Amino acid sequence: MLFSIMRSEWFKLQKSKVSSIIMLGPALGFIMGYLNNEPLQAQQINGWFIMFMYNSLVYGLLFLPLMTGVLAGTICRYEHQAGGWKQLLSMPVTRNKVFIAKYLILILLVLLIQFLYFSAMFVAGILKGIPDPFPLEIALKSILGGWIATFPLLALQLWMSIMWKSFAAPFTVNVIFTLPSIMAVNSETFGPIYPWAQPFLMMHNFTDNMDTLFYVPAEQVLTIVGGSFLLFFIGGLIYFRRKELF
Amino acid sequence: MEFIVQTNNLTKRFGKHTAVSAINLKIRKGEVYGFLGPNGAGKSTTIRMLLGLMKPTYGSIRIFNEDLNKNRIKILKQVGSLVENPSYYPHLTAYENLEALRKILGAPKSRIEEVLAIVRLSDVANKKVKSFSLGMKQRLGIAAALLHSPKLLILDEPTNGLDPNGIIEMRNLIRRLPKEYDMTVLISSHILSEIDQIATSVGVISKGSLIFQGPIEEMRKKANPKIRITVNEPQLAYQSLLANGIQVDSQNQHLYLSEQTDNEVAKAVKCLIKNDFSVYRVEEEKQSLEDIFLQMTKEGNLQ
Amino acid sequence: MIGKLLQADFIKIKRKGFWLLSFLGAFGVVGLQIVNYSLRYDWLIQQSDDKWLYYLYNVHSFTAMALVLGIVILTSLIASVEDETNAWKQLIALPVSKMTVYLSKFTVLATLLFISSTLLAIFTFSYGLFLDLGEPVPYIEILKFSFYPYCASLPILAFHLWIATVSRNQGIPITFGVIGCIATYLAYVLPDWVIWKWPTLMNDWNDPLMNVWLGIGFGILLYFIGMFDFIRRDVK
Ligand SMILES: Nc1ncnc2c1ncn2[C@@H]1O[C@H](COP(=O)(O)OP(=O)(O)OP(=O)(O)O)[C@@H](O)[C@H]1O
Ligand SMILES: [Mg+2]
């Protein structure tokens, strides 16, 4: 049953032109990668590292957290139109499964965006002629790290999007939490415990071997990500189960 | 005769699809004009054009004898409307909703209480509209349409969501408007019986074309009544009548006379009795307006 | 006519958080510096001889992004007030011109953002005093850093009002907002013609006033483009 709800969600999403939203991530990766004028060649460090680092400053810090709101808003759009919740929930489905199905679709979408983003950077780098070998392992670590870090953000945004009809309201919550992470990542005490900074920090994890400010122990990140995920996911689920008046 | 609303070959296309095709509406002063048609016929599209919400692809509209294209604002000062589902601001109370509209319309403040009373929402005036039932929202929409005491009221399926009591109230209200407030009313519906009792004129639209327009009596005339006779031996009686030169049809064990003058009916009955048939019933069968409407729209669809 | 529409619009934005957001935008920008200066006062205070100016630059580093995102949120919110039960059809069927309807929405938002900018000036000044950044207090600079970005962001306001009012799906203007926010963040690498760069007051001439005039000029231009498109379309 869960699978059939997910298929129906996916169908509705296609009607909402979600593919153009998905393509924004890779487009950003490509454009920034291609137009970046930093010397990517003939350095002591792998040129790809430099590209990853510069791009994730924008992608991990702003783009990914903000897009979680757009995606969550999009996945609830049909239900908010003309009694859609009523219609969906009067079918033989449980609220738990509807919530989980929507959530699973969201995290799968982000995973897809992550892969496309790195593929786009790869293409940009090849076109620019970066001579160094592509650090596949580090790219994968970064893809998955950034992906996992969006789990709590997606849960909160799904919650907020179910709560409010308008796109703007949940987006406001998202903005209020995302902007401070620009400052939080500069702070060694605050950065590691701030959930909205995690996509950026986890995508910088590949700098393990380079002595930078952004090194964060995995356990700590996982407590923060895991803890806030549980909080937002359970909160959202409880809210959805109790929600009346659709 | 003075026309309040007059359209000339009014046409609207959405891409290749023609939703309204060359309609010539004529609505006289003081009429309650029933605008009828099945779902998707083009009623709402026509109404949207009458209010200047949509631009016609072709054709023109005159309201109060003025060109809508040129004098839209002047015309709309005297038009109240409710298009499709009622629009409202859910986070505001009923009173605040009307107040926001009143500011724009420039009606006196006391008018808000008046219209709330007319639609019987005075008790819930200070409740947020979010919490209203469908029928209450619909009534608020009507209150909004009446706010500036318009001369022309345009209502698109106003009984949508009303309970039987609400429908009756609405009918009584609409019936009163032309006399008491000198209003002209255009009311759309896809059910004829709903406006049968209040409309003085009707326009029937089907697949975008106006297939009938005129006084409701004229539409009633289209209902050609038949005389139905029930007898004990229909088959034999049928042959006997034909043999006596009386034109008759036989259907479902009943006889139907083609001629309906008193004379013809008397002649037929006399003939049956003379031939020893037992005549159980002689009755007039009228086609209902609903049937005529269905028949008309069906014919319209064939065209 | 515009006066009546404005009154109506100010009734409609009640209880929707417009006022709160206008306050939060200004407060948030200064609030981030409150956190910043509380955490590392000693270090920050030694970074420059002109402590006021250094502080103003710190505040300013978030102003542009807050403005851009504030515009995105407020425009989308004001459109959704009419979108929610498709009240556009009720509004446009009133004896008002579509031009005035559009102007009224623009004026409401421009007013809210102006209030927000004024609050920004007040908060910036107050916290600056609290930090005891010395004399003289650069009043003119405080006003410049608060109102120049406002003027420079008018084209973004015009652009977003346009797409928010004509989109059936508010996801579209919000997505544009994310892109715009990123453009503002990356302003230092972008060419001067990108309107999202303007609120940062950066340009090749190093003349912030340039952005103000460009903002007002292009703001008017984009306003008219949006308005004519809004008028041209059938009502949603
Ligand atoms: N904005 C639009 N874009 C495309 N097609 C439209 C649009 N609005 C209406 N139509 C089409 O025009 C036709 C007439 O629609 P309209 O809403 O006028 O019907 P109606 O008579 O009001 O029906 P109902 O009784 O269901 O309200 C329909 O086929 C509809 O699909
Ligand atoms: Mg209709």
Side-chain angles (χ1 to χ4, degrees):
Chain A
M1 184 171 94
L2 185 65
F3 191 61
S4 55
I5 304 176
M6 283 173 68
R7 282 224 311 244
S8 142
E9 289 299 333
W10 178 243
F11 174 76
K12 286 187 282 186
L13 273 181
Q14 284 173 316
K15 301 276 158 203
S16 291
K17 305 200 180 68
V18 77
S19 50
S20 40
I21 298 177
I22 292 174
M23 290 318 288
L24 275 179
L28 187 72
F30 181 82
I31 293 170
M32 287 197 312
Y34 193 73
L35 297 183
N36 194 339
N37 285 328
E38 296 299 322
L40 297 177
Q41 295 156 29
Q43 293 231 342
Q44 298 94 321
I45 325 165
N46 186 321
W48 294 101
F49 280 19
I50 300 179
M51 185 193 267
F52 289 177
M53 225 156 61
Y54 270 98
N55 287 7
S56 68
L57 208 58
V58 170
Y59 180 86
L61 206 52
L62 289 174
F63 181 81
L64 206 50
L66 290 178
M67 282 319 273
T68 60
V70 175
L71 292 170
T74 305
I75 211 167
C76 295
R77 191 169 96 86
Y78 271 85
E79 279 68 28
H80 279 310
Q81 287 172 343
W85 287 115
K86 213 169 39 196
Q87 192 179 35
L88 177 60
L89 295 174
S90 55
M91 289 197 289
V93 295
T94 63
R95 290 193 182 200
N96 285 352
K97 288 210 169 118
V98 169
F99 189 86
I100 293 168
K102 283 191 185 289
Y103 185 75
L104 287 177
I105 291 279
L106 284 178
I107 60 174
L108 288 177
L109 284 176
V110 171
L111 184 62
L112 180 64
I113 293 174
Q114 289 285 82
F115 270 106
L116 290 174
Y117 167 69
F118 273 89
S119 310
M121 284 201 293
F122 178 72
V123 174
I126 295 293
L127 288 178
K128 288 194 80 146
I130 296 179
D132 307 300
F134 185 78
L136 188 63
E137 198 183 327
I138 281 168
L140 277 177
K141 211 172 142 189
S142 184
I143 289 174
L144 296 178
W147 178 53
I148 290 167
T150 60
F151 285 7
L153 277 58
L154 285 169
L156 179 71
Q157 284 302 307
L158 182 58
W159 180 0
M160 298 295 121
S161 299
I162 289 171
M163 190 146 87
W164 282 307
K165 257 191 174 158
S166 74
F167 247 94
F171 185 70
T172 308
V173 175
N174 204 4
V175 166
I176 288 174
F177 285 121
T178 301
L179 278 193
S181 55
I182 296 176
M183 249 174 58
V185 292
N186 287 315
S187 152
E188 272 165 279
T189 46
F190 198 50
I193 59 162
Y194 193 60
W196 285 265
Q198 302 309 316
F200 170 74
L201 295 177
M202 302 260 299
M203 289 180 79
H204 258 63
N205 249 0
F206 60 78
T207 52
D208 278 4
N209 43 3
M210 295 158 31
D211 194 23
T212 69
L213 188 62
F214 295 124
Y215 175 63
V216 174
E219 303 89 339
Q220 196 182 341
V221 174
L222 285 177
T223 341
I224 297 303
V225 173
S228 55
F229 163 74
L230 283 181
L231 183 70
F232 297 149
F233 186 86
I234 293 172
L237 189 58
I238 289 176
Y239 173 80
F240 185 53
R241 286 170 57 118
R242 294 201 182 146
K243 186 174 164 81
E244 289 175 88
L245 250 177
F246 288 104
Chain B
M1 194 68 210
E2 189 186 343
F3 291 118
I4 294 289
V5 179
Q6 193 173 11
T7 70
N8 180 23
N9 286 331
L10 189 62
T11 303
K12 180 73 185 181
R13 287 197 198 97
F14 295 110
K16 280 189 178 159
H17 173 72
T18 306
V20 173
S21 112
I23 279 194
N24 296 303
L25 287 182
K26 289 187 168 55
I27 305 177
R28 291 183 172 82
K29 190 164 191 299
E31 272 185 342
V32 175
Y33 185 98
F35 193 35
L36 288 166
N39 290 132
K43 302 181 296 291
S44 299
T45 306
T46 307
I47 286 175
R48 280 166 171 271
M49 288 190 285
L50 291 181
L51 294 167
L53 298 173
M54 273 181 178
K55 294 196 179 64
T57 312
Y58 181 77
S60 62
I61 299 168
R62 294 185 75 80
I63 297 180
F64 305 128
N65 249 326
E66 306 214 49
D67 190 336
L68 180 71
N69 211 4
K70 292 191 191 115
N71 296 312
R72 200 182 78 94
I73 295 180
K74 189 174 164 208
I75 291 170
L76 288 179
K77 277 187 183 153
Q78 306 199 59
V79 178
S81 62
L82 173 60
V83 182
E84 291 181 321
N85 307 316
S87 297
Y88 51 89
Y89 304 103
H91 60 290
L92 301 180
T93 66
Y95 190 93
E96 288 168 335
N97 263 275
L98 294 175
E99 176 65 11
L101 297 173
R102 189 198 67 85
K103 285 258 193 269
I104 300 173
L105 290 165
K109 211 160 185 159
S110 60
R111 187 68 190 151
I112 294 180
E113 263 113 33
E114 278 173 44
V115 292
L116 280 172
I118 292 178
V119 297
R120 289 196 308 122
L121 286 177
S122 305
D123 293 346
V124 288
N126 293 318
K127 265 196 181 170
K128 282 190 198 166
V129 179
K130 215 189 296 192
S131 67
F132 279 21
S133 74
L134 181 59
M136 287 157 81
K137 288 170 185 161
Q138 191 79 12
R139 279 191 259 159
L140 179 66
I142 290 159
L146 293 173
L147 199 57
H148 53 310
S149 320
K151 287 277 161 264
L152 172 65
L153 189 62
I154 297 180
L155 303 172
D156 191 7
E157 312 212 10
T159 50
N160 215 341
L162 293 185
D163 53 22
N165 220 5
I167 293 179
I168 291 169
E169 266 173 41
M170 170 81 71
R171 273 190 204 145
N172 291 338
L173 175 67
I174 292 172
R175 224 194 307 247
R176 262 169 35 211
L177 294 173
K179 274 175 250 147
E180 292 179 23
Y181 302 99
D182 200 24
M183 271 186 210
T184 305
V185 183
L186 167 64
I187 173 172
S188 87
S189 176
H190 53 264
I191 310 164
L192 183 117
S193 58
E194 201 176 78
I195 58 163
D196 182 10
Q197 298 147 34
I198 49 171
T200 53
S201 277
V202 284
V204 181
I205 184 174
S206 172
K207 293 232 163 156
S209 299
L210 198 63
I211 54 174
F212 174 85
Q213 180 169 240
I216 197 151
E217 293 80 29
E218 200 171 298
M219 190 156 165
R220 287 211 179 88
K221 268 190 213 143
K222 294 216 163 198
N224 43 343
K226 289 179 181 165
I227 301 297
R228 185 173 70 178
I229 303 178
T230 317
V231 294
N232 60 337
E233 295 271 8
Q235 219 35 50
L236 292 174
Y238 173 65
Q239 281 157 11
S240 160
L241 285 175
L242 282 183
N244 284 289
I246 296 166
Q247 287 195 3
V248 70
D249 274 331
S250 162
Q251 255 179 46
N252 305 331
Q253 308 290 315
H254 296 292
L255 303 174
Y256 290 92
L257 293 180
S258 313
E259 293 278 327
Q260 291 145 22
T261 57
D262 293 350
N263 228 352
E264 280 297 315
V265 177
K267 207 168 125 193
V269 173
K270 202 181 212 171
C271 171
L272 286 170
I273 290 174
K274 230 168 50 193
N275 290 305
D276 259 352
F277 292 104
S278 306
V279 178
Y280 301 147
R281 276 180 176 77
V282 180
E283 53 203 343
E284 188 178 55
E285 191 185 76
K286 260 195 182 159
Q287 207 182 356
S288 73
L289 272 176
E290 210 69 55
D291 290 335
I292 306 169
F293 172 57
L294 283 178
Q295 196 186 316
M296 273 177 152
T297 51
K298 239 184 257 161
E299 281 164 10
N301 289 354
L302 288 177
Q303 280 165 12
Chain C
M1 194 69 250
I2 179 73
K4 297 184 209 163
L5 265 168
L6 278 174
Q7 287 180 24
D9 270 326
F10 276 111
I11 294 177
K12 289 181 206 167
I13 64 168
K14 267 195 204 174
R15 293 194 273 275
K16 276 281 178 184
F18 285 85
W19 297 104
L20 178 68
L21 281 170
S22 308
F23 167 83
L24 267 183
F27 184 76
V29 168
V30 179
L32 283 171
Q33 292 317 312
I34 297 180
V35 175
N36 197 9
Y37 274 82
S38 312
L39 289 179
R40 36 181 198 160
Y41 179 83
D42 297 332
W43 186 78
L44 285 167
I45 215 72
Q46 282 161 15
Q47 292 305 300
S48 166
D49 287 337
D50 193 338
K51 296 186 170 55
W52 264 106
L53 198 64
Y54 185 72
Y55 162 72
L56 288 182
Y57 273 119
N58 271 325
V59 174
H60 181 66
S61 62
F62 281 95
T63 306
M65 271 213 279
L67 250 177
V68 170
L69 288 166
I71 287 171
V72 174
I73 291 167
L74 291 177
T75 46
S76 176
L77 210 53
I78 208 165
S80 67
V81 167
E82 304 289 348
D83 281 344
E84 193 165 352
T85 67
N86 196 2
W88 290 110
K89 62 178 162 57
Q90 192 182 41
L91 180 60
I92 308 288
L94 296 173
V96 289
S97 70
K98 284 171 96 175
M99 223 185 280
T100 330
V101 168
Y102 198 80
L103 178 63
S104 174
K105 300 279 181 216
F106 185 87
T107 311
V108 168
L109 296 177
T111 308
L112 288 172
L113 289 167
F114 185 82
I115 292 170
S116 206
S117 300
T118 310
L119 288 175
L120 177 63
I122 295 170
F123 295 150
T124 307
F125 170 72
S126 311
Y127 188 59
L129 276 192
F130 173 82
L131 284 177
D132 197 10
L133 298 169
E135 292 290 333
V137 179
Y139 293 104
I140 301 293
E141 291 299 314
I142 293 176
L143 291 177
K144 277 187 186 171
F145 273 113
S146 302
F147 291 103
Y148 279 15
Y150 169 75
C151 298
S153 69
L154 288 174
I156 304 172
L157 175 60
F159 174 73
H160 266 280
L161 181 63
W162 176 22
I163 55 174
T165 48
V166 301
S167 301
R168 276 158 205 270
N169 176 358
Q170 286 301 314
I172 295 167
I174 297 282
T175 307
F176 270 98
V178 174
I179 299 168
C181 167
I182 286 169
T184 305
Y185 185 65
L186 288 174
Y188 58 95
V189 296
L190 293 176
D192 279 348
W193 54 262
V194 179
I195 57 173
W196 285 274
K197 181 178 181 174
W198 297 356
T200 63
L201 305 182
M202 286 185 248
N203 61 39
D204 288 346
W205 296 274
N206 256 326
D207 178 11
L209 205 57
M210 190 82 181
N211 295 29
V212 171
W213 295 123
L214 275 174
I216 293 171
F218 272 84
I220 293 171
L221 182 72
L222 275 177
Y223 171 81
F224 277 102
I225 293 175
M227 185 187 72
F228 282 119
D229 186 53
F230 178 76
I231 292 173
R232 186 184 61 84
R233 285 170 191 258
D234 284 342
V235 175
K236 282 193 231 184

